[in-house]
Every structure is written in structure tokens, then in C-alpha cells.
């Protein structure tokens, strides 16, 4: 948008901003080296930059980020994320894609197990799982498998797969309350037997009650049965996690917890059969209940926070209306079909307008705040909104939607995004084998020095129990749960716990312009009346707005809606509009006997209005500032200019000051000209990339990652791939469902200053995790040598383990 090339009542003149040359006839054209969009007949090039580009925005991104030499082997971000040493690139496989939500994943071993399980099924050609997003991507043969059967193929061993659209019903889950309550009930019954009968005997006292000769058999049988319920029912997820880690060949903390629980259980079971009263079922119960309660607390807090997203919805189009008026499923539409799109409806699929003219809101897929005027012959994108008049669209050759392509790219990025292991799981690959080897070595040394087999086994069991990483296993999830809750109290929903690992390391914060730095809504910024004062408060201001609002109230154009909203409340009631006429760049109608013309300055000139010299600078100033000047006139003369624009947020300055203190700040936008340039001079903004098409946003973020860790902040569906590609994605709460699905955190209150608070909470949580892990390892460093030396028995080992866990719980419960 420039002064010498004025927009058509809100249209964007840039090829990149309007989809450029990506028409339905360009499928065979060369593609952009940055975003893979088709290039024009004469591609955008520069002697200083290698490659060809579809627009100036892509060229400038390539120039600033050292051209294409630093790019990954594949231009698209999803290729970088899909490829790896553990399997083929799913994009190279023939077949249909399916994206399933999987309940039960919690570490990278779950990913490997599910991938292996899925790929063994005939008809499944490839699989990639991500526990960070609870997603598995499958490429399958539709001739051998039905999409409805895929969840059943993946489900099993405690994992439950479902279509991602079913996630909205997840709030009804009991979060594992029933197993925990039942385990707690039987655990208390076990402890009653121990307190009344077994613990006194361990310390040389008589039991509280005497059952005669049946005492040992009766107590042992009861405790054994109750402990079995706790271990195999309540502790099933732990045992499953241990099994999965073995199947995947990657030991995790579940394996060590299960070893301690099963070890004490097996020892006690053998002791029961041999008639001994020295039983350690209480250790099994304590280990299982502590870990299960900690895991459930984490799930509850995250589920409660995620529930705040219920009002952030914007769905894809799943139906289309033929020109005849018949409504059909989107799958039934063929290339060349003519579809009728009415005002307020989304264009179902990419195509070309064959009848009608309308202003099309493309913000969902391009991020541009101003609607573009479309006429017969112009391309339109699937997912954009027709605002003010019906149009007929001929479906393109591919019969696909730009919005659907963004959805596909997003899920591809998410499902293939490698799950970042918790620090405890990373250490488990070394810690678990070390503890097991230490226990076996302790048993061997004890037997070699003349100890009895029962004494040696008890010593080895003590080593395993005291090493049981309850504190280590709780260190991360409890701190994360506290961080999630603290964020929720600030109006921030944490959607992926990896944010606590990545956010403290962020070097660059990328901010989308429309809807993030700006309000994303057209409003009247100023009113200038011919003959009025500089502030536009002359005596004709109210009359100007009344007449303009009366005419604009009959138009559904976003700019018209802004003018109508700014008019006096009685504008429509007090004025009767006759002879209303809508054109591509303005409207007109008779108000109070005068023919009132409202619209683009050129449109008003064409209608015979003379624009006074005093208003010309107002028009140019508005254009220079990236605003839309709307001229209002009657009686062959323009009486004023109403300036409409997407205004910066009120909290923008404070937010930029906060973010720029610790990060480089980059603005990314599809707009060009004044609409983007006004952000270059803002205090705290280091760089502005303008004219970047939506398909190139993710690639731009990926190239910025060469500089360091990158956070992306956005609100639209066009931002979703970039949000997912960034190390940290933060979505504004007023954005689309696709954006919020892609993000690691969502600002529910739509407050830009909360972005800085997100980094503060993440940093504090990361510090708390380190504190917890530090204590857990310090405990093991002291307790394990004592156990090896024979200075602890299993009971005291369990007490020490519980005390360590309690300290971690208390530290996690402190306010951040």
C-alpha cells in the first residue's frame, strides 16, 4: 500500500498479499525457493541473492537470512521434521494421511513403541508419533484399510487412539481417579495391618492383637491380596510404561519404579509362601501410590488449564453449495464445479470467480487485515470469507483449499515433531541399568562374603528400593503442574510442557502483525471535516458520520461496518436511505434528499465529487500510515474523510519494551508498504519482514532458528505452521482454533503483555525443575552408598524414599 498506488477500499495491491500469481492455471510454473509457491512469468530475482522468488517478501527474507545456502535440504519445514534416522520420510510414501490423538503417551519410548506397533500392521506404510502433542501420523493404503479402523490398530497396551476431532470430549475423563481411590483404600487397609501387627514385631514388641497360630497366614494372605490390587490395577500404567520401555529398547523411569515395586512384591510373596513375617508389601504400595498420585495431579492441572480454550473455536469448511443451491459434502466437489458463496460464508476450495464481485477477507489464510476486492477472473483461496456480496467460484484443477493445505502442513509438523524427553528420562537410559547392575553386584558380593541367599537378596532389594526414583519421577511433572497452574492464573494456557524447557533459552521472538501487534478489527481512527479543525472536531463531524453511517450500514464490507459503528446510535433510525447502490470501491444512497457518496477517493471523483485541497493531505497521511481513507460527500462536494484502520494494540509499547529487554524482536507480516513500514520505527523492534506469504512463514522461522532458539507469536490459521515450526509457539486467545492447536501456549485474555509473563513463568518453572532434580540426585548420592554398605533395610529405605518425595512435593507447591 503506497500513496501513489492507493488500495481499492481496503484491497491490497501486492501480488504476495493477494496470493500473487498462484492462480489455478499456474500449477506447472516454477516455484519459489523459499515458500514453494508458483513464481510469476518473470520471477522475482536479485543479483545479490541466489534463487527465484514469488514476491519481494520472500526475496527479502532470503537476503536477510543469508540466502538459501543455510536452508535445510528440503525447502518445506515439514521435510526437516519428518526425516530422521529411525524411519522413512512419510511424505515420500504413497497413501493417505491420518492424524490420530493418542491418550497414554508420556515419553519417547512410547513414540517408538507405537510407531513399531503401527508399522507391523498390513496396509500401514509408515508412522511417526509425538508424545509432546499426543499425536501419531499414519500413512496407509486406503484400498486395504478403512480410516475408521485406524484407531483400533493403534490402541492397546493402555494406549487409546481416536480421531483428533474427538478431543473436545476429553474433559469428561476422570483423570485416573478410580484406580487411585481404590488403590488408596486397599493401601490404607494394608497399613492398618502393618501398624497393628507387623511394625511392632520388627522393633521387638508384641503385636496389638493375637490371632494365635493363624496370625502369620491370615495377615500375609490379606496383605498379599490387597497389595496385588494396588500393584496390578492402580500401578498398571507404571507397569505398562516399563514394558513399553523394554520393547522399545530404551529404559525409562517407569522401568526403575516398576523394578522397585515388583522387586519388593516378589520378595514378599516368596517370604509369605515360606512363612516369614518380614514382608515389604508396604514398600510396593508406597511406591505405586506416590508415583500415581503425582502423575494424576499433573494431568488434573493441565486438563483444567486446557479447559480454558473451550471458547477459542473456528472450524474448517466441510460443505459446499453448488450454483443451483444444492449443498453437498466437500468430498463430492470436482474440479471445475461452480460453487455459490454468500456473504459471511467461507470459500470452500481454491478457485476463480466467474460471477459477481465482492470484498474477500483473507486474514485467516494470509494474515492481512484489510479485505481484498475480487472480480470475475480473480483467484480466491479456500478458507477466505466473502463479506459483502454473493459470488460464484469455479473450483480449481486440484480441488483443494489453501486452509486445508495449512492444516495438513500443521499436523505434519506436529505429528513428526520429535518429542523432547524429560531430563529424568534422558538420564534413565544410564541410571536404570546402573542401579540394576549395582543391585546385582551387591547381591553377588554379599553371597561371596558368606551371607545367606535371603540376606543377599534383601540387600539387593534395598539398593533398588532406595534408588527408586519417586523423587526423580515427581521432580519434573509436579514442577510442570505448578507452572501450568501458575500460568492459568495469569490467563495463559500451557498446551505443551516442552515450553518450560525451551522458553528460557529463546533468543528471538517473532511477532505476527495482524491480530497480534494490532487489534485485527477495522475501526475509525480519525474523522476530518472540510473546514473543521485539525482534530476533526468541527461542527459538521456528527452530521458527516450520521450520513456516512446511514449509507454504510447497508453494506457488509468490513470498512463500511467500521464507519457504521462509529456513527451516532440513531443514524439509521433517523435517516431513510433510498436509491442505495453498491460498487467495487464504494457505496451511495439518498439520505435526507441528498445523494451521499462514500468510498475510495477515486470512486468519489468518478461520481463527480470535488475533493477540497484541505482534505488531500489527510488522504495522503492516512495512506502513509497504512490506513484506509474513506471520503464522504454530497452536493457534488466532499465534506470530509473518515480514516479507518487496524489500530495497534494499546499495550503494544509496554509489551515490546518487556520482550526487547532479553530477546531480539522480529515482526513478520504479509502486508507491504506503509501498513508494514510503520512498525520499523517502533522502539524494541529489531527487524521487520514484510510481504511474506503464509506458506513462507514457517520457512522464515526455520531460517531464523539458525541464529538461536525462536519463539513465534501469532493468532491466525496462516500462522499455525510457523507456530508449530518454532521452538516455542504462543497464540493469542482471539485467534483461530488452528493457531491455538499449533501453539505451546495460548494467551486466553488476548493481552500482548502476557507474552512476557509466559517467558517469566516458564523460566521460573524451569528453575524449579532443576531444584527438584538436584535434590533427587543428592538424595541418591547419599542413600545408595548407605544401602550398598548394608546400613539400611528395606523399611528405612522406603521411609527415606518417601521423605525425599515429600520434599520435592513441597518445593513444587511453592508459589512461582
Amino acid at each position: 500500500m503506497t500513496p501513489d498506488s492507493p488500495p481499492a477500499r481496503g484491497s491490497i495491491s501486492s501480488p504476495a498479499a493477494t496470493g500473487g500469481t498462484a492462480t489455478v492455471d499456474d500449477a506447472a510454473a516454477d516455484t519459489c525457493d523459499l515458500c514453494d509457491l508458483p513464481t510469476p512469468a518473470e520471477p522475482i530475482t536479485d543479483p545479490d541473492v541466489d534463487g527465484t522468488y514469488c514476491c519481494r517478501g520472500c526475496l527479502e527474507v532470503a537476503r536477510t537470512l543469508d540466502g538459501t545456502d543455510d536452508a535445510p535440504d528440503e525447502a518445506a519445514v515439514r521435510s526437516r521434521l519428518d526425516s530422521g534416522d529411525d524411519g522413512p520420510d512419510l511424505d515420500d510414501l504413497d497413501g493417505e494421511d491420518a492424524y490420530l490423538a493418542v491418550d497414554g503417551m508420556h515419553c519417547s519410548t512410547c513414540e517408538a513403541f507405537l510407531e513399531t506397533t503401527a508399522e507391523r500392521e498390513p496396509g500401514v506404510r509408515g508412522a511417526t508419533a509425538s508424545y509432546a502433542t499426543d499425536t501419531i501420523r499414519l500413512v496407509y493404503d486406503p484400498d486395504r484399510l478403512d480410516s475408521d479402523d485406524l484407531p483400533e490398530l493403534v490402541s492397546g497396551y493402555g494406549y487409546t487412539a481416536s480421531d483428533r476431532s474427538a478431543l473436545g470430549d476429553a474433559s469428561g475423563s476422570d483423570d485416573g481417579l478410580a484406580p487411585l481411590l481404590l488403590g488408596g483404600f486397599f493401601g490404607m487397609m494394608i497399613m492398618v495391618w502393618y501398624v497393628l501387627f507387623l511394625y511392632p514385631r520388627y522393633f521387638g514388641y508384641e503385636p496389638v492383637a493375637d490371632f494365635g497360630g493363624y496370625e502369620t497366614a491370615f495377615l500375609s494372605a490379606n496383605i498379599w491380596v490387597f497389595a496385588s490390587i494396588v500393584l496390578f490395577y492402580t500401578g498398571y500404567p507404571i507397569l505398562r510404561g516399563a514394558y513399553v520401555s523394554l520393547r522399545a529398547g530404551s529404559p525409562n523411569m517407569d522401568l526403575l519404579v516398576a523394578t522397585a515395586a515388583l522387586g519388593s512384591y516378589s520378595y514378599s510373596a516368596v517370604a509369605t509362601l515360606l512363612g516369614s513375617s518380614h514382608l515389604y508389601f508396604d514398600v510396593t504400595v508406597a511406591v505405586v501410590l506416590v508415583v500415581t498420585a503425582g502423575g494424576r495431579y499433573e494431568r488434573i492441572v493441565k486438563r483444567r488449564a486446557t479447559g480454558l480454550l473451550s471458547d477459542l473455536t473456528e472450524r474448517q469448511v466441510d460443505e459446499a453449495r453448488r450454483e443451483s443451491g444444492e449443498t453437498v459434502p466437500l468430498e463430492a466437489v470436482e474440479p471445475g464445479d461452480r460453487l455459490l458463496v454468500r456473504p459471511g460464508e467461507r470459500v470452500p476450495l481454491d478457485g476463480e470467480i466467474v460471477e459477481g464481485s465482492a470484498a474477500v477477507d483473507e486474514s485467516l489464510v494470509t494474515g492481512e487485515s484489510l479485505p481484498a476486492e475480487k472480480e470475475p477472473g480473480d483467484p480466491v483461496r479456500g478458507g477466505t470469507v466473502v463479506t459483502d456480496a454473493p459470488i460464484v467460484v469455479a473450483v480449481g484443477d486440484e480441488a483443494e483449499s489453501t486452509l486445508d493445505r495449512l492444516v495438513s502442513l500443521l499436523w505434519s509438523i506436529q505429528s513428526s515433531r520429535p518429542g523432547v524427553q524429560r531430563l529424568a528420562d534422558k538420564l534413565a537410559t544410564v541410571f536404570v541399568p546402573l542401579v540394576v547392575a549395582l543391585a546385582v553386584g551387591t547381591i553377588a558380593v554379599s553371597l561371596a562374603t558368606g551371607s545367606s541367599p535371603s540376606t543377599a537378596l534383601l540387600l539387593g532389594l534395598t539398593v533398588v528400593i532406595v534408588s527408586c526414583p519417586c523423587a526423580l519421577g515427581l521432580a519434573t511433572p509436579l514442577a510442570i503442574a505448578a507452572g501450568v497452574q501458575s500460568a492459568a492464573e495469569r490467563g495463559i494456557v500451557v498446551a505443551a510442557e516442552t515450553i518450560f524447557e525451551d522458553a528460557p533459552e529463546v533468543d528471538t521472538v517473532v511477532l505476527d502483525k495482524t491480530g497480534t501487534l494490532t487489534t485485527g478489527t477495522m475501526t475509525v481512527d480519525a474523522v476530518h471535516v472540510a473546514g473543521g479543525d485539525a482534530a476533526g472536531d468541527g461542527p459538521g463531524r456528527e452530521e458527516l458520520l450520521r450520513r456516512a453511517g446511514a449509507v454504510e450500514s447497508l453494506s457488509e464490507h468490513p470498512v463500511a461496518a467500521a464507519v457504521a459503528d462509529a456513527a451516532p446510535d440513531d443514524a439509521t433510525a433517523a435517516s431513510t436511505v433510498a436509491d442505495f447502490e453498491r460498487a467495487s470501491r464504494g457505496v451511495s444512497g439518498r439520505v435526507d434528499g441528498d445523494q451521499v457518496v462514500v468510498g475510495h477517493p477515486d470512486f468519489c471523483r468518478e461520481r463527480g465529487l470535488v475533493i477540497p485541497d484541505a482534505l488531500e493531505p489527510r488522504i495522503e497521511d492516512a495512506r502513509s500510515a497504512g490506513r484506509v481513507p474513506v471520503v464522504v460527500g454530497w452536493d457534488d462536494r466532499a465534506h470530509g474523510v473518515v480514516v479507518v484502520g487496524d489500530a495497534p494494540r494499546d499495550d503494544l509499547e509496554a509489551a515490546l519494551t518487556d520482550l526487547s529487554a532479553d530477546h531480539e524482536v522480529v515482526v513478520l507480516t504479509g502486508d507491504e508498504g506503509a501498513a508494514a513500514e510503520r512498525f520499523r520505527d517502533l522502539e524494541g523492534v529489531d527487524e521487520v519482514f514484510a510481504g511474506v506469504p503464509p506458506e513462507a512463514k514457517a520457512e522464515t522461522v526455520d531460517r531464523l532458528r539458525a541464529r538461536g532458539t525462536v519463539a513465534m507469536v501469532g493468532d491466525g490459521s496462516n500462522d499455525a505452521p510457523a507456530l508449530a515450526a518454532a521452538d516455542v509457539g504462543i497464540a493469542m486467545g482471539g485467534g483461530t482454533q488452528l493457531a491455538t492447536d499449533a501453539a505451546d501456549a495460548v494467551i486466553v485474555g488476548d493481552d500482548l503483555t502476557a507474552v512476557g509473563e509466559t517467558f517469566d513463568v516458564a523460566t521460573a518453572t524451569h528453575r524449579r525443575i532443576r531444584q527438584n532434580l538436584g535434590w533427587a540426585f543428592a538424595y541418591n548420592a547419599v542413600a545408595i552408598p548407605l544401602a550398598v554398605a548394608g546400613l539400611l533395610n528395606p523399611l528405612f529405605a522406603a521411609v527415606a524414599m518417601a521423605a525425599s518425595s515429600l520434599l520435592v512435593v513441597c518445593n513444587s507447591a511453592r508459589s512461582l
Side-chain angles (χ1 to χ4, degrees):
M1 184 184 304
T2 58
D4 59 342
S5 180
R9 194 176 162 78
S11 66
I12 300 295
S13 58
S14 161
T18 59
T21 57
T23 69
V24 295
D25 296 324
D26 288 332
D30 293 335
T31 58
C32 174
D33 282 1
L34 184 75
C35 69
D36 282 343
L37 281 177
T39 57
E42 296 183 4
I44 306 299
T45 60
D46 190 286
D48 299 329
V49 183
D50 293 335
T52 58
Y53 302 91
C54 66
C55 62
R56 296 297 305 180
C58 286
L59 173 64
E60 291 307 317
V61 169
R63 183 202 305 278
T64 305
L65 301 182
D66 298 326
T68 58
D69 293 339
D70 295 332
D73 292 337
E74 299 293 334
V77 175
R78 68 171 180 273
S79 297
R80 174 184 63 83
L81 295 170
D82 284 344
S83 60
D85 297 331
D86 55 351
D89 186 341
L90 299 192
D91 290 331
D92 294 335
L93 301 177
D94 292 330
E96 296 289 334
D97 277 356
Y99 304 93
L100 305 178
V102 182
D103 182 34
M105 284 197 290
H106 66 282
C107 67
S108 62
T109 55
C110 297
E111 297 174 343
F113 178 77
L114 286 170
E115 290 167 1
T116 302
T117 301
E119 289 174 351
R120 283 204 306 260
E121 296 290 341
V124 176
R125 294 172 174 169
T128 304
S130 169
Y131 89 82
T133 54
D134 294 327
T135 303
I136 184 168
R137 177 190 180 189
L138 304 176
V139 176
Y140 68 98
D141 183 352
D143 294 332
R144 303 181 64 182
L145 292 173
D146 189 271
S147 60
D148 294 336
D149 297 331
L150 295 178
E152 184 178 350
L153 298 181
V154 177
S155 299
Y157 300 101
Y159 300 104
T160 303
S162 61
D163 187 87
R164 289 193 67 114
S165 62
L167 287 177
D169 300 329
S171 58
S173 171
D174 66 356
D175 295 296
L177 178 60
L180 183 59
L181 289 179
L182 190 64
F185 173 74
F186 285 110
M188 287 189 293
M189 295 181 66
I190 290 172
M191 296 313 298
V192 168
W193 292 124
Y194 268 91
V195 170
L196 295 180
F197 300 103
L198 296 184
Y199 287 155
R201 181 169 292 180
Y202 293 168
F203 292 101
Y205 297 100
E206 291 296 320
V208 175
D210 186 2
F211 281 79
Y214 296 100
E215 177 181 317
T216 300
F218 179 78
L219 289 177
S220 299
N222 275 274
I223 293 174
W224 190 355
V225 171
F226 296 160
S228 298
I229 295 173
V230 174
L231 175 61
F232 296 108
Y233 179 60
T234 305
Y236 172 74
I238 299 172
L239 301 180
R240 182 204 64 198
Y243 170 77
V244 166
S245 74
L246 291 174
R247 285 286 301 271
S250 178
N252 61 7
M253 283 302 158
D254 279 344
L255 180 58
L256 194 53
V257 172
T259 300
L262 287 171
S264 57
Y265 177 87
S266 301
Y267 178 92
S268 302
V270 173
T272 299
L273 294 175
L274 296 177
S276 173
S277 61
H278 285 273
L279 310 176
Y280 297 101
F281 287 117
D282 55 336
V283 175
T284 299
V285 171
V287 168
V288 170
L289 291 182
V290 167
V291 173
T292 301
R296 181 178 183 272
Y297 172 70
E298 178 192 17
R299 290 193 302 273
I300 278 181
V301 172
K302 290 199 292 185
R303 183 69 54 81
R304 185 185 305 133
T306 305
L308 296 174
L309 292 173
S310 59
D311 60 338
L312 304 178
T313 58
E314 186 164 30
R315 301 190 180 279
Q316 292 173 252
V317 176
D318 55 9
E319 291 182 335
R321 181 185 295 104
R322 298 188 189 276
E323 188 177 15
S324 62
E326 176 191 7
T327 300
V328 297
L330 207 58
E331 296 79 11
V333 178
E334 300 291 339
D337 285 357
R338 294 164 66 98
L339 305 179
L340 173 64
V341 187
R342 295 170 177 166
E345 296 180 345
R346 295 197 181 280
V347 177
L349 299 168
D350 291 359
E352 180 180 293
I353 296 179
V354 292
E355 287 186 20
S357 300
V360 179
D361 181 356
E362 299 183 318
S363 60
L364 183 66
V365 296
T366 68
E368 296 165 11
S369 55
L370 300 177
E373 294 291 341
K374 299 286 186 176
E375 299 177 345
D378 289 339
V380 287
R381 298 184 178 204
T384 57
V385 181
V386 175
T387 64
D388 60 351
I391 58 175
V392 176
V393 177
V395 177
D397 292 339
E398 300 297 327
E400 64 178 358
S401 166
T402 295
L403 178 58
D404 289 340
R405 287 200 302 273
L406 292 173
V407 171
S408 178
L409 176 58
L410 167 62
W411 293 142
S412 181
I413 290 173
Q414 284 195 324
S415 64
S416 61
R417 189 178 188 178
V420 182
Q421 290 185 346
R422 294 173 180 171
L423 180 58
D425 275 338
K426 292 178 182 177
L427 297 171
T429 56
V430 176
F431 186 64
V432 173
L434 180 62
V435 168
V436 173
L438 192 59
V440 172
T442 301
I443 294 174
V445 171
S446 181
L447 290 173
T449 56
S451 299
S452 65
S454 62
T455 301
L457 287 173
L458 195 62
L459 192 60
L461 177 62
T462 302
V463 172
V464 173
I465 292 173
V466 80
S467 304
C468 179
C470 287
L472 198 58
L474 293 174
T476 298
L478 289 186
I480 285 176
V484 170
Q485 183 164 342
S486 179
E489 292 170 354
R490 293 169 166 83
I492 305 164
V493 174
V494 174
E497 61 196 33
T498 53
I499 191 174
F500 298 120
E501 226 177 307
D502 297 329
E505 307 299 324
V506 166
D507 302 299
T508 303
V509 178
V510 181
L511 300 169
D512 173 59
K513 183 186 77 69
T514 304
T516 302
L517 300 184
T518 65
T519 61
T521 303
M522 293 288 109
T523 57
V524 172
D525 293 339
V527 178
H528 303 292
V529 181
D533 60 23
D537 292 324
R541 182 180 189 277
E542 184 172 344
E543 177 66 12
L544 185 82
L545 282 176
R546 186 182 72 82
R547 293 195 173 204
V551 179
E552 293 280 47
S553 66
L554 301 180
S555 172
E556 296 178 356
H557 194 288
V559 173
V563 175
D565 288 343
D569 294 337
D570 62 345
T572 303
S575 305
T576 300
V577 180
D579 301 329
F580 177 76
E581 180 184 354
R582 179 192 292 111
S584 62
R585 298 195 294 177
V587 292
S588 65
R590 190 168 298 280
V591 179
D592 299 339
D594 295 321
Q595 189 68 24
V596 178
V597 180
V598 185
H600 190 280
D602 290 344
F603 171 78
C604 293
R605 292 188 183 99
E606 292 170 1
R607 293 305 176 98
L609 296 188
V610 176
I611 300 178
D613 293 339
L615 292 180
E616 292 290 355
R618 304 297 189 187
I619 295 173
E620 295 304 321
D621 290 345
R623 289 173 177 167
S624 299
R627 308 293 203 276
V628 178
V630 179
V631 174
V632 183
W634 57 91
D635 293 338
D636 300 326
R637 180 175 181 271
H639 291 272
V641 175
V642 179
V643 180
V644 177
D646 180 13
R649 290 177 179 268
D650 294 336
D651 53 7
L652 175 59
E653 184 177 342
L656 289 177
T657 300
D658 186 18
L659 292 174
S660 61
D662 300 307
H663 312 93
E664 178 187 12
V665 177
V666 173
V667 174
L668 189 62
T669 176
D671 286 347
E672 287 189 298
E677 291 299 323
R678 57 178 167 152
F679 290 94
R680 293 190 188 275
D681 298 329
L682 289 179
E683 185 71 25
V685 174
D686 298 292
E687 207 158 17
V688 175
F689 292 129
V692 180
E695 291 85 350
K697 286 187 176 182
E699 178 67 11
T700 303
V701 167
D702 189 53
R703 295 195 183 194
L704 283 169
R705 294 178 71 239
R707 299 180 178 179
T709 306
V710 174
M712 172 72 190
V713 185
D715 75 314
S717 294
N718 66 98
D719 301 320
L723 288 168
D727 297 288
V728 175
I730 302 175
M732 302 303 293
T736 67
Q737 184 182 14
L738 197 57
T740 56
D741 282 346
D744 299 302
V746 181
I747 310 299
V748 175
D750 212 27
D751 179 4
L752 190 58
T753 58
V755 174
E757 292 186 26
T758 303
F759 289 111
D760 293 341
V761 171
T763 300
T765 302
H766 186 73
R767 183 168 53 247
R768 186 69 51 82
I769 292 172
R770 297 288 178 175
Q771 293 171 352
N772 287 349
L773 290 173
W775 163 250
F777 281 112
Y779 154 78
N780 279 302
V782 174
I784 291 177
L786 293 177
V788 172
L791 300 178
L792 292 176
N793 66 27
L795 177 60
F796 286 112
V799 171
M801 178 203 69
S804 174
S805 300
L806 181 62
L807 186 60
V808 167
V809 171
C810 292
N811 187 49
S812 298
R814 293 187 299 114
S815 299
L816 289 174

